[in-house]
Structure formats: structure tokens, C-alpha cells
Amino acid sequence: MPTDKRPLRFVIIGAGMAGMLAGIRLKERGDTDFTIYEKGDTVGGTWRENSYPGLACDTPAHSYTFSFATNPEWSAFYAPGPEIRAYFEDIADRYDLKSQISFNTEIASCRFVDGRWRIVTTDGRDDVADVVIAATGVLHHPAMPDIPGLASFAGPYFHSARWDHSVGFDGKRIGVIGNGSTGVQIVSALSKIAGTLVHFQRSPQWIMPCPDLKYSDADKQAFRDDPAKIEAVRNGPEASARRARFTAAIIDLDSPELAEIQEIVERNLQDSIRDPDLREKLRPDYRAACKRMVFSAHYYNAVQRPNVEVAVGTIERVEAAGIRMKDGSFHELDVIALATGFRVDQFVRPMIVEGVGGQSLDVLWAEHPRAYYAVAVPDFPNFFLLNGPTGPVGNFTLIDIAEAQWTYIDQLIDLLRAGTCDAVAPSRAALENYEERRTEAAKRTVFASGCRSWYLDKQGVPQVWPWSYAYFQHVMATPNLDDYDLIQRY
């Protein structure tokens, strides 16, 4: 451990996966002067916010754990949501993080004044920090659909991230709006108990088949006895090949890997859906992986149940008794679940963030959120983002991303610890160069191949990482300090 010359005060915003990672890593370095501010009542981030029926991770469970805290107890290859939440709760206890988390506390503003960050909470408390780590995540501001008449619906309706567990679903007429991973999981679960269920889709999704593999007690014991078996699931030949295939597919429209994925999802549709009319209704008119891939072992079975209907098209309006489509058809409903996603362009907002000279992050992000290699912003010194804008959020495992980003950020913090500088931020030229290269590359990815998705900004440019996993690992390994301004004092 290096000899630190300068004690630093840290504020971490968010006690989800990334915020806990930052706290753990700081404690390992001996940096114990930090507070994690969390707007919710416990840890877990999106796994606290979401509790809908069928909730599961679409990343293999053993890959969705911290590299330093693997878990041999997962019940399935794709872990259910409650187990993931329990994992993060256990991590918080194991690493004694809760004593340094201020729960039910939302940050109203962060302002860089006289070389330090001044933080004010929504309940009026003040704090000060040398370094701010924004680990607010992406999927935490629910996007409510702009559907005429929604408020006039006579029954209960709610967003998937605000699930109302007081509502009973057995035998009810259920409408599910939205068909990303969340909508697919909800339909797969509720179709078993609904009287009738209508799945409303603006456009159908390609479904990637995945194994419904449950781990037996013997499997778990094998994982306990031999951690190498966990590592094989995480980074063995099969996992590496899967990651390499998907990476090559999204960055090159003409790649054989994308052609292979297209063949897999088309065959899945053809082999799974017996009724040719339903099959065509469920056939997307865009390339596979243009939208975030949906993985499911159960959805195609669910939509073929006699009590399930798929409604593809535009909703005209919601009425007191149900939903009327633009084609005039009407669906009587008792309850509506809104699987309509999140406002993914918010990141740290609505928090006010002002950098050097009172420069506003809202102004810098007026067109779309920007950050140098997704982790830092010019004129906002000592302000670092985990899973920030234009990172590989839809490309690779989020925990792997956050761990790599922390390795990068920690090297910048080392400059502050050692007294090399008082503050560090990327130059404006570095951000502009990164954004120019990234934008041109993003236009050549599958995300720009002709579909509507939450990856696209107002100009239709994907706000994603457009390069390979190997390149991400390369640039995260060591910061290029030529692209940074090292400031001695303010």
C-alpha cells in the first residue's frame, strides 16, 4: 500500500452495486473517511427498486458477482432478483458498509467551491468532500409512458419499478405494456395465474434462447469445494466465446458473429411458435441486437397459453375499463403493469452539479450526457462516474465494467493521495476527441442499424461504447495523463 501524503474526504452517491464497490475498495486502501449517500432505505440499487414477478438477471449469476466475492450459493444459472438483492445485502454486511451509508438521503446539489465539493442533501444537510464518486446507476428514474387517458383507468396501474404488491393477480385481466426484458419476464410469470393477459408491444423483440438451468445441492457443494469451477463459469472458454461473439456482433454489422446471432434468434422464433400468424406477429423488422438483447427460456411458451394475447401496434388511449388500440380494438382490463423502462439519460440528475466557476453539468449535457471514457468530465475536478454516460452498459457485465473503471479512477485518486496535484479532470480537448471518435464508431454499430431504442440520443446516435471489450480493458488499465489537467490549487 502506498504511503499517502494527503488525507482525503470522499462522498459516494448511491449504494447500489457500484457505490458499494467504491466503498469496499476505498476501505481496502485505508481511505475510511467517506460517506455513501443512498436515497433508498437499503442497498442494492436496481435490485432494491425492482421486485416485480419473474424478476431475474439476464447475465449468468456467477458473472454478476464481484470478482473478490464470488457466491457458490446461486440457485440458478440466471439468478432470480431476490437472490441478487440478498447477495448485495450480504456484501454490505460482510464489508461493514452500512455504518457509513446515510440511507433515505438524496443529494440535492454538488458544487465545486474553493477546491472542494460542497454537498447539500434534500433535507438540508451539508457535507464537504475532496472527491465525489457518482455511482447513481442508469436504471432508477422510471419512464412513465405518455398515453392519453392513463389516469382515467379505473383499476390499479403502476410502473414495474414501483410494483404494488397489495394487488392480487390470480384470475385477473392483466395488461402489460412494454416488451423489453422486464415486460418479457412479467408476462412469463403472470401468464401462469392470469385470467387473461394482453401483452402490448409497440414492436416485437428478438428473443435469445437461454438455459433454464437450476443448480442442485451437489452443484453448489462443488462450487464451494472448488472455486475454479466458479471461475470457469465466469471466464472459461464458453463464457469468453460468448462475450467475444456478442462484442464482435455489435461493433460490426457485417460480422459472421452477428449473422450467427441472427440465425439463432430466427430459429428460436421458428421452432418455438407453432401458430404461423402469431409467429409473424412476433417477428421484428430490424436486425438482432439492434435493441438490447432479450434472453428468455419461457416467453414463447407463455404467449402460446390460451389465456394470453399479443397486441402489436399503437395504443390509442386508455379508458376506464381498459385499453383501446389505434386499429379500434379494445381490451378490457382489471390491472395494468407498465414495463416502460427508465429515463436513461438522467444519470446523476435531477441533482444539481456545478463545476469550476459554477459551470453546470446540465448545460454540458444539454444535447446528451457526455463523459471522457464514461468516467470523468472536464471542469468538474475530482468528480468521477461509475457506469457513466457512453459506457458499455449494454455490452458487457456491469460489475466487470465497474471494477475496471474503479481501477482507472483509483489511479487518478492516487495523484491526489500523493500530493502530485490538488485536483484532476480531463481536458476539454480530450473529451471532444473522445466524443468525435466514439460518435463515428457508434454510427457503425448494430445499435444504429434501424430500430428505436433507449440507446439513441435526440439525433439518433447510439450513446454506447462502440468498441471491443479488449479495448475497454486496455484504456481502463492506465489513464493517459496527457489527456488530463493536473491542477495544483484553486
Side-chain angles (χ1 to χ4, degrees):
M1 183 181 297
T3 301
D4 298 342
K5 295 182 180 179
R6 177 187 172 193
L8 298 172
R9 164 73 178 160
F10 297 83
V11 159
I12 301 167
I13 306 173
M17 172 275 293
M20 288 194 291
L21 169 68
I24 292 167
R25 290 308 198 198
L26 286 175
K27 290 182 75 170
E28 289 175 344
R29 288 292 304 262
D31 290 315
T32 57
D33 187 8
F34 68 85
T35 298
I36 302 176
Y37 288 98
E38 170 52 55
K39 66 182 180 181
D41 60 0
T42 188
V43 301
T46 191
W47 302 102
R48 178 198 65 238
E49 298 284 299
N50 288 277
S51 59
Y52 58 80
L55 174 65
C57 189
D58 56 10
T59 296
H62 284 299
S63 295
Y64 198 76
T65 54
F66 294 121
S67 62
F68 52 84
T70 55
N71 176 28
E73 308 304 326
W74 295 121
S75 67
F77 186 76
Y78 292 101
E83 283 188 30
I84 299 172
R85 177 172 174 173
Y87 169 78
F88 287 124
E89 290 276 2
D90 177 66
I91 290 292
D93 292 334
R94 196 186 317 175
Y95 289 89
D96 190 26
L97 289 176
K98 289 182 179 177
S99 62
Q100 290 178 264
I101 301 175
S102 179
F103 289 112
N104 299 306
T105 308
E106 190 167 358
I107 303 298
S109 63
C110 291
R111 291 181 168 92
F112 191 73
V113 180
D114 297 329
R116 301 190 84 192
W117 285 98
R118 311 289 166 167
I119 293 99
V120 178
T121 65
T122 55
D123 59 4
R125 284 180 282 166
D126 296 321
D127 202 345
V128 64
D130 300 293
V131 179
V132 172
I133 308 296
T136 55
V138 183
L139 307 179
H140 62 111
H141 292 295
M144 294 296 289
D146 184 18
I147 302 174
L150 183 59
S152 70
F153 183 61
Y157 66 93
F158 40 84
H159 192 274
S160 57
R162 300 292 183 267
W163 199 264
D164 186 346
H165 290 278
S166 70
V167 175
F169 293 93
D170 285 18
K172 295 291 182 65
R173 298 171 298 180
I174 304 167
V176 178
I177 300 176
N179 64 324
S181 293
T182 296
V184 163
Q185 290 176 353
I186 293 172
V187 168
S188 297
L190 292 186
S191 62
K192 301 172 186 176
I193 62 173
T196 60
L197 187 149
V198 183
H199 192 191
F200 297 92
Q201 308 183 15
R202 187 166 50 194
S203 60
Q205 291 266 30
W206 289 114
I207 306 294
M208 175 66 76
C210 61
D212 185 21
L213 173 63
K214 302 295 191 293
Y215 290 130
S216 67
D217 289 341
D219 292 328
K220 295 175 190 176
Q221 189 60 52
F223 288 135
R224 294 184 204 113
D225 293 341
D226 186 1
K229 292 184 182 297
I230 295 177
E231 182 59 23
V233 177
R234 289 172 56 84
N235 294 306
E238 185 177 339
S240 298
R242 183 170 57 245
R243 183 166 54 220
R245 180 182 68 186
F246 186 66
T247 299
I250 62 176
I251 65 176
D252 182 2
L253 279 171
D254 299 318
S255 67
E257 289 84 358
L258 182 56
E260 181 184 1
I261 289 174
Q262 186 73 47
E263 181 184 358
I264 291 170
V265 295
E266 288 184 0
R267 185 169 63 250
N268 187 34
L269 176 63
Q270 181 66 35
D271 293 347
S272 301
I273 303 296
R274 296 181 297 275
D275 177 21
D277 292 334
L278 178 59
R279 188 187 308 136
E280 291 313 304
K281 185 182 282 190
L282 291 168
R283 188 182 302 279
D285 60 1
Y286 54 84
R287 303 279 290 275
C290 183
K291 298 187 181 188
R292 191 178 190 277
M293 291 293 296
V294 175
F295 293 77
S296 179
H298 305 292
Y299 178 71
Y300 281 156
N301 287 333
V303 295
Q304 293 180 96
R305 292 191 170 106
N307 62 328
V308 176
E309 179 181 350
V310 175
V312 175
T314 303
I315 294 173
E316 177 74 19
R317 64 184 180 274
V318 177
E319 300 177 8
I323 290 178
R324 189 170 300 281
M325 303 296 286
K326 209 155 195 172
D327 64 8
S329 59
F330 184 75
H331 302 276
E332 293 188 359
L333 301 170
D334 299 312
V335 59
I336 298 174
L338 304 169
T340 48
F342 298 86
R343 299 177 62 195
V344 297
D345 62 341
Q346 293 298 289
F347 292 96
V348 301
R349 296 177 288 186
M351 181 175 66
I352 296 169
V353 182
E354 293 179 353
V356 176
Q359 296 186 68
S360 168
L361 195 64
D362 270 338
V363 172
L364 180 66
W365 286 2
E367 288 299 316
H368 58 79
R370 303 190 299 161
Y372 174 77
Y373 283 112
V375 298
V377 184
D379 298 318
F380 292 78
N382 303 352
F383 185 90
F384 304 110
L385 299 120
L386 287 169
N387 290 318
T390 72
V393 172
N395 308 37
F396 321 125
T397 302
L398 275 180
I399 295 183
D400 289 348
I401 294 166
E403 289 195 15
Q405 289 174 331
W406 182 258
T407 297
Y408 180 99
I409 290 168
D410 197 45
Q411 293 175 71
L412 296 173
I413 297 173
D414 267 342
L415 301 173
L416 310 178
R417 294 184 179 109
T420 303
C421 60
D422 295 319
V424 58
S427 68
R428 296 183 187 182
L431 175 60
E432 294 305 322
N433 176 264
Y434 165 76
E435 269 292 282
E436 182 178 344
R437 292 187 297 109
R438 190 203 62 79
T439 297
E440 288 308 307
K443 291 176 181 177
R444 298 190 294 271
T445 65
V446 69
F447 304 125
S449 63
C451 68
R452 181 176 177 177
S453 78
W454 58 267
Y455 292 131
L456 306 180
D457 67 9
K458 298 174 185 176
Q459 285 73 43
V461 177
Q463 294 302 293
V464 296
W465 182 265
W467 299 296
S468 71
Y469 187 64
Y471 183 60
F472 174 73
Q473 291 177 307
H474 170 72
V475 296
M476 288 294 105
T478 307
N480 178 6
L481 295 184
D482 290 341
D483 283 347
Y484 279 86
D485 294 327
L486 309 185
I487 302 110
Q488 293 304 322
R489 63 180 60 85
Y490 279 95

